[in-house]
Amino acid sequence: MLIVKNIVKKFHGKKILDDVSFSAAPGEIVVLLGQSGVGKSTILRVLSNLETIDSGSIELDHGPIDFKKVGMVFQDFNLFAHMTVQQNLTVPLTKVALKSEQEAQTIAHLMLDRFNVLSKAQDYPVALSGGQKQRVALARALCLNPQVLCLDEPTSALDPQLTSDVAKIITELAEQQMVIVIATHDIGLLEALSCTIHLMRDGKIIQSATSKMLQENPESFINIKNFVQGK
Ligand SMILES: Nc1ncnc2c1ncn2[C@@H]1O[C@H](COP(=O)(O)OP(=O)(O)O)[C@@H](O)[C@H]1O
Ligand SMILES: [Mg+2]
C-alpha cells in the first residue's frame, strides 16, 4: 500500500503541493487529473525522490518509502541519447541495480522483447518513433522491478490512436499488482482506464472518485464531471 499523507512542497516560499493525501493499493491505477500547472508532475517527482517534501510523509508497505521501489517514465521519456536502446536498459541495471553485464543484458533482452522493441536494441533513441521511445522508457523503468510506477503524461507525445495501447499496457501492469500513478490531463486516457481519479487544482486534490463511482453517479462528482466534459 502506498500512503501519501499531508504532503506540502514549496518552491520559492509558494506552496505548490498544499496538503496532498491519497493512498493506493497494489493493482490500483491512480490518475492525478488537472490543468497544466496544478502540481501533478511535482507529485510524481516527490514520489520518485527527484524533489524533497517540506512536510508530510510517504509510506510504502507500513514504513517510510524506499525510493528504489519507485519507477518513473517521464513525459519526454528522458532516454539517454548517446546510448543505444539496449544500453539505456543495461546501464541502470549495472550502475543502479549492480547487476553483472551478462545479467543486465539478459534482463534487457527480455524486457525489450516484452515491449516489442527488441529489433531496435542496437539503435539510438533518435531512430525510434514516439511510441517506440515510450515502450523503451517503460522497459527501462520495469527492469528495476518497481512496486510503484509513475507515468507523467504518458499519451502527450503520442498519436491519439495509441491511447488505447497505452491504456492496455497500464492495465496489464496493474494486474501484476503494481501501483500505478499517472499524471495526465488526457480525458481519452482517463476514459480508457478503470482507475481512481484525484482532480487537482492549485496544488490540492479537490475531488476524488473511482471510474465506477463517476459512471454511476456523475452528479456527485461535479468538478470531475465538468473537467471531463471540458467545462
Ligand atoms: N523546480 C521548480 N521550481 C519552481 N517552480 C516549480 C518547479 N517545478 C514546478 N514548479 C511550479 O510548480 C507548479 C506545478 O508544476 P507541475 O507539477 O509541473 O504541474 P503540472 O504537472 O500539473 O502541469 C507550476 O506552477 C510550476 O511552475
Ligand atoms: Mg506535468
Side-chain angles (χ1 to χ4, degrees):
M1 189 88 176
L2 171 71
I3 302 179
V4 173
K5 243 188 244 171
N6 307 112
I7 58 172
V8 172
K9 173 68 189 173
K10 296 179 195 168
F11 286 118
H12 313 298
K14 184 169 181 276
K15 280 186 187 169
I16 296 301
L17 298 180
D18 187 358
D19 200 22
V20 169
S21 299
F22 67 91
S23 61
E28 189 169 345
I29 301 171
V30 168
V31 171
L32 305 168
L33 185 69
Q35 302 289 4
S36 176
V38 295
K40 306 181 298 295
S41 296
T42 304
I43 293 182
L44 301 188
R45 292 175 62 80
V46 302
L47 286 177
S48 18
N49 204 24
L50 296 166
E51 300 285 358
T52 55
I53 48 179
D54 291 292
S55 59
S57 65
I58 308 174
E59 291 178 14
L60 185 64
D61 297 343
H62 313 293
I65 192 166
D66 173 0
F67 292 110
K68 287 204 290 292
K69 294 186 174 158
V70 182
M72 172 82 146
V73 177
F74 296 89
Q75 181 165 10
D76 55 5
F77 314 127
N78 273 14
L79 296 176
F80 309 123
H82 62 292
M83 293 182 194
T84 64
V85 163
Q86 172 159 306
Q87 288 166 336
N88 265 272
L89 274 63
T90 56
V91 168
L93 278 166
T94 53
K95 302 275 187 255
V96 181
L98 306 179
K99 305 279 186 197
S100 70
E101 184 62 34
Q102 186 58 48
E103 230 181 325
Q105 286 191 17
T106 305
I107 298 169
H109 189 283
L110 281 170
M111 292 304 295
L112 291 174
D113 193 27
R114 176 173 166 200
F115 286 98
N116 216 5
V117 275
L118 187 57
S119 64
K120 303 288 174 191
Q122 302 312 323
D123 289 344
Y124 285 85
V126 68
L128 307 185
S129 71
Q132 289 167 338
K133 279 184 204 163
Q134 180 174 58
R135 283 181 276 131
V136 172
L138 258 173
R140 182 175 64 177
L142 294 174
C143 272
L144 301 175
N145 210 10
Q147 244 174 287
V148 178
L149 181 67
C150 299
L151 302 168
D152 199 356
E153 304 283 358
T155 47
S156 67
L158 305 181
D159 294 334
Q161 68 264 28
L162 289 177
T163 299
S164 64
D165 295 351
V166 173
K168 191 163 157 254
I169 291 174
I170 292 170
T171 302
E172 283 169 7
L173 293 172
E175 280 164 2
Q176 294 156 28
Q177 299 306 297
M178 216 173 278
V179 170
I180 316 273
V181 187
I182 306 169
T184 193
H185 61 270
D186 180 352
I187 301 306
L189 176 63
L190 180 76
E191 292 185 331
L193 293 169
S194 177
C195 58
T196 305
I197 306 157
H198 299 296
L199 181 66
M200 294 188 65
R201 195 177 288 164
D202 297 336
K204 292 183 170 62
I205 292 176
I206 60 158
Q207 196 159 65
S208 304
T210 63
S211 308
K212 189 162 176 275
M213 287 156 71
L214 184 65
Q215 203 174 16
E216 288 173 355
N217 208 349
E219 296 309 320
S220 299
F221 306 100
I222 198 72
N223 301 92
I224 298 177
K225 181 185 163 222
N226 285 344
F227 189 90
V228 168
Q229 294 181 345
K231 287 182 195 159

